[in-house]
Amino acid sequence: MSTPKYAWLDGLVPWEDATCHISSLAFKYGAAVFEGIRAYWNADTQKLYLWQLDEHLDRLVYSQHMMRYEEPIAKEDVAAAVIKLLQANAFRENVHITTTAFLSGPGQPFICAPVSLAVTAMARGDYRTDGVSVQVSSWRRSSDSALPQRVKANGNYLNGRLASIQARADGYDTALLLTQAGKVSEGPAMCFFMVRDGVAITPDKQSDILESITRDTVIKLLQENGTPVEERPIDRSELGLADEAFFCGTAWEIAPVKSIDRLALPAGTSGPVMQALRERFDALTLGTDTAHSEWRREVPLT
Ligand code: PMP
């Protein structure tokens, strides 16, 4: 994988110098919170748009607050770092950005400072999928009563990681995790929707999901499109009544599900609800659909 010239570690640094110490609380205890953010390049208009930057940075602020950081990094400082890094690397393509606020010093597990900001921006790998096979994992989604699932904490990702590893070892593309109570929760890094009799259904926010920005966006776009949406618990057996299903998330965008536990979905990989949604989503991210300008921030190119 080719690496960009610069990263951000409390300032612009050459990529090779963006390192953290092995005694840091981030390294030892996973004391870090982060955001994955996209920037989309419109080749026709030669514009680079950060997608839903405000929403992501609001969540980063919330994550730092919940993890009781004593010197949280301010939203405006993260936004400025992201823009400077995109400019320094002179991207003219789609980019995936990670902003991580982490405890960079040594100490006991209850220490909550100092906080450093790390940002990476890399040309986007092609995550676009035309349909994934899904295994309902035997790993259950971590409960909000053990680790706050609304917080995008690095440590939370061990749970989805195990589910992904298991799914791939068993010959599936990815996993769908159930809550401790056995209701559908979400994928390892994406939220889940199924369509049943023309109604889009997604697990409610009490199903131990991350409060996903793309999930909120999808709900809005479905409603604008006239598709009714229900946010409610989903039983495992209800998955067998889905006409179509898809995942959504910043990295995954809108990704159709072709089968769950080897049961094929009737609509295959091109369900009409998913298709219409994906087309609209793509147009909005590129600014070819000019609605919802509040979701795009143009990066001034230098
Ligand atoms: N769930 C988890 C566990 C995730 O990591 C992500 C990716 N951030 C999502 C859901 C989707 O969230 P978003 O739409 O905010 O990217």
Side-chain angles (χ1 to χ4, degrees):
M1 194 191 302
S2 72
T3 50
K5 209 164 168 195
Y6 297 105
W8 186 276
L9 182 57
D10 298 326
L12 205 57
V13 292
W15 178 267
E16 299 69 34
D17 296 345
T19 55
C20 89
H21 201 270
I22 54 172
S23 70
S24 67
L25 290 162
F27 184 78
K28 276 170 74 183
Y29 301 119
V33 296
F34 76 109
E35 284 299 318
I37 304 167
R38 291 280 204 138
Y40 289 94
W41 173 245
N42 184 326
D44 293 333
T45 59
Q46 297 281 297
K47 287 182 193 293
L48 184 65
Y49 292 111
L50 277 158
W51 177 245
Q52 300 186 313
L53 179 67
D54 271 341
E55 289 80 351
H56 282 285
L57 298 189
D58 284 342
R59 191 168 61 190
L60 191 68
V61 167
Y62 163 76
S63 292
Q64 295 183 83
H65 169 69
M66 281 300 290
M67 299 314 284
R68 296 171 183 268
Y69 283 16
E70 283 165 12
E71 302 159 3
I73 314 263
K75 183 175 168 178
E76 305 70 46
D77 293 342
V78 186
V82 168
I83 288 167
K84 280 186 195 145
L85 183 60
L86 290 174
Q87 290 173 331
N89 284 319
F91 289 110
R92 301 286 184 277
E93 59 207 310
N94 291 348
V95 185
H96 188 269
I97 300 143
T98 310
T99 58
T100 305
F102 67 101
L103 294 181
S104 47
Q108 305 274 43
F110 49 80
I111 301 293
C112 293
V115 182
S116 283
L117 175 67
V119 188
T120 58
M122 301 184 76
R124 178 185 78 156
D126 192 6
Y127 303 98
R128 181 53 63 102
T129 166
D130 285 324
V132 286
S133 61
V134 175
Q135 175 185 51
V136 175
S137 186
S138 62
W139 291 104
R140 293 285 169 99
R141 170 88 174 150
S142 306
S143 158
D144 192 68
S145 59
L147 277 170
Q149 297 305 310
R150 282 177 183 75
V151 173
K152 204 165 156 68
N154 295 48
N156 284 354
Y157 282 77
L158 291 175
N159 179 224
R161 186 171 147 72
L162 281 172
S164 298
I165 292 169
Q166 181 196 25
R168 296 184 75 82
D170 291 347
Y172 298 84
D173 295 319
T174 191
L176 179 62
L177 289 97
L178 306 179
T179 65
Q180 299 294 318
K183 306 294 178 192
V184 174
S185 181
E186 63 175 15
M190 59 283 197
C191 283
F192 177 80
F193 282 78
M194 58 177 266
V195 181
R196 177 180 175 185
D197 299 330
V199 178
I201 309 165
T202 190
D204 58 280
K205 289 182 176 171
Q206 285 67 47
S207 293
D208 291 327
I209 63 168
L210 180 74
E211 287 199 6
S212 148
I213 294 160
T214 320
R215 176 184 174 280
D216 284 350
T217 307
V218 164
I219 290 173
K220 203 164 278 171
L221 297 180
L222 287 170
Q223 287 167 341
E224 284 179 13
N225 211 21
T227 304
V229 181
E230 289 179 8
E231 297 177 68
R232 61 164 173 81
I234 299 177
D235 287 330
R236 182 174 185 172
S237 62
E238 195 179 4
L239 296 172
L241 291 164
D243 301 314
E244 55 178 295
F246 56 89
F247 285 119
C248 73
T250 300
W252 283 67
E253 301 171 321
I254 314 291
V257 170
K258 64 180 177 201
S259 65
I260 302 177
D261 283 342
R262 307 255 182 257
L263 284 175
L265 282 139
T269 57
S270 53
V273 173
M274 188 284 304
Q275 289 275 25
L277 180 67
R278 194 187 230 186
E279 275 164 32
R280 181 96 203 281
F281 185 84
D282 286 348
L284 286 166
T285 57
L286 292 174
T288 47
D289 181 333
T290 55
H292 291 296
S293 58
E294 73 279 10
W295 289 341
R296 288 178 298 277
R297 179 165 336 167
E298 191 182 332
V299 179
L301 300 175
T302 49

